[in-house]
Amino acid sequence: MKRRAVIAGNWKMYKGGALGVELAQKLVVACGDLATVDVVVAPPFTALAAVAHELQGSRIDLGAQNLHPAAEGAFTGEVSAPMLLESGVRWVIIGHSERRQLFGETDDSVRDKVRAALEHGLRPIVCLGETLAEREAGRTLEVVHRQFDAFAATLASKPGFGVVAYEPVWAIGTGKVASVEQAEEVHSALRARLANHGPEVAERTRILYGGSVKPDNAAALLDQPNIDGALVGGASLDAESFCRIVAAAPSAA
Ligand code: PEP
């Protein structure tokens, strides 16, 4: 049986303030009442409260793009899990490749953030994926397994609560989508790896694909047995595109 799909939009450093409010309003109208798919949007921090207000009464959940592992402290410029919860956030993206590549995130910091999210009841969307050089060197599975093993036991402590997002770095924002076969190969390898933490963890954990997902390629990806949703960057900035991807997700109770 298909797991309930998750379609999550990562707005990155776009759509703050009034533009974020406008996008949220359009999303609520276009796909705000779907009961069969988990729909999540992750605006920039400054837009969270305003977008939370717009999403009230809809079925779209609010996500954040990062968090600090501590609950509070002298960490200038950082935001904690309790602060996110207070702003209406229910999901948090952790270890996105842009954070790993541009902001020095490591496998260890990703694990600490996953732990903090779980402790406070935020659903982590934990990202991993290989670079083009790693794929061309035949190291894809070695790399994603290393990234995965750093947080897997922590994620497995609450089976089905958090999700994994496989995002080949070479496919993010480039228009180069992984083929259905390339994506499913990694997703099924990750499913097998999840089974090291028990059959329930393997069965219940949703694994999203991310990397140039668009309305015209979403259905074929989401149809794969081990692809349980999508993490969407560029196409999530347009309500019609994002909601067409949501509509392509198989329905589940
Ligand atoms: C992302 O940033 O997570 C992403 C998948 O971006 P895009 O859809 O634009 O490739």
Side-chain angles (χ1 to χ4, degrees):
M1 205 187 69
K2 263 305 227 184
R3 284 160 283 271
R4 182 181 169 90
V6 180
I7 307 295
N10 173 11
W11 293 4
K12 309 195 184 188
M13 203 169 73
Y14 298 102
K15 306 284 183 188
L19 290 177
V21 167
E22 192 192 335
L23 177 54
Q25 288 168 343
K26 287 184 179 164
L27 289 168
V28 168
V29 173
C31 56
D33 59 357
L34 261 190
T36 53
V37 178
D38 287 339
V39 182
V40 182
V41 294
F45 287 137
T46 55
L48 286 174
V51 171
H53 182 75
E54 298 304 327
L55 297 182
Q56 263 172 23
S58 82
R59 288 181 175 268
I60 302 176
D61 275 349
L62 190 62
Q65 299 174 22
N66 187 25
L67 85 170
H68 189 280
E72 61 180 0
F75 300 109
T76 302
E78 294 291 317
V79 176
S80 72
M83 292 168 184
L84 294 176
L85 281 164
E86 210 174 28
S87 307
V89 170
R90 296 292 170 260
W91 299 73
V92 60
I93 299 169
I94 296 175
H96 190 278
S97 66
E98 286 152 16
R99 298 221 49 93
R100 290 179 189 258
Q101 293 197 321
L102 305 174
F103 300 102
E105 294 227 353
T106 63
D107 290 344
D108 285 349
S109 67
V110 168
R111 184 203 48 239
D112 293 347
K113 290 179 179 195
V114 172
R115 182 177 299 130
L118 294 176
E119 265 170 24
H120 293 280
L122 279 178
R123 290 180 181 267
I125 300 172
V126 199
C127 304
L128 44 71
E130 82 287 2
T131 63
L132 185 59
E134 289 162 344
R135 174 162 284 269
E136 286 177 350
R139 296 182 50 222
T140 298
L141 292 183
E142 173 203 327
V143 169
V144 299
H145 283 161
R146 190 207 75 228
Q147 293 173 330
F148 175 81
D149 287 349
F151 65 80
T154 307
L155 192 73
S157 66
K158 270 193 172 181
F161 189 71
V163 307
V164 177
Y166 168 55
E167 298 207 308
V169 178
W170 49 271
I172 296 179
T174 58
K176 284 186 199 154
V177 63
S179 70
V180 164
E181 294 76 23
Q182 285 172 323
E184 175 61 18
E185 183 195 8
V186 175
H187 281 239
S188 75
L190 288 171
R191 181 86 53 213
R193 204 84 171 172
L194 281 165
N196 294 338
H197 301 273
E200 189 194 358
V201 173
E203 181 50 37
R204 293 186 55 192
T205 304
R206 290 168 293 180
I207 309 175
L208 319 187
Y209 169 78
S212 298
V213 176
K214 306 280 181 244
D216 59 358
N217 60 27
L221 288 159
L222 294 168
D223 208 33
Q224 296 303 301
N226 290 294
I227 300 184
D228 309 311
L231 180 53
V232 185
S236 75
L237 300 176
D238 176 77
E240 196 208 324
S241 295
F242 185 68
C243 290
R244 282 175 62 202
I245 294 170
V246 170
S251 295

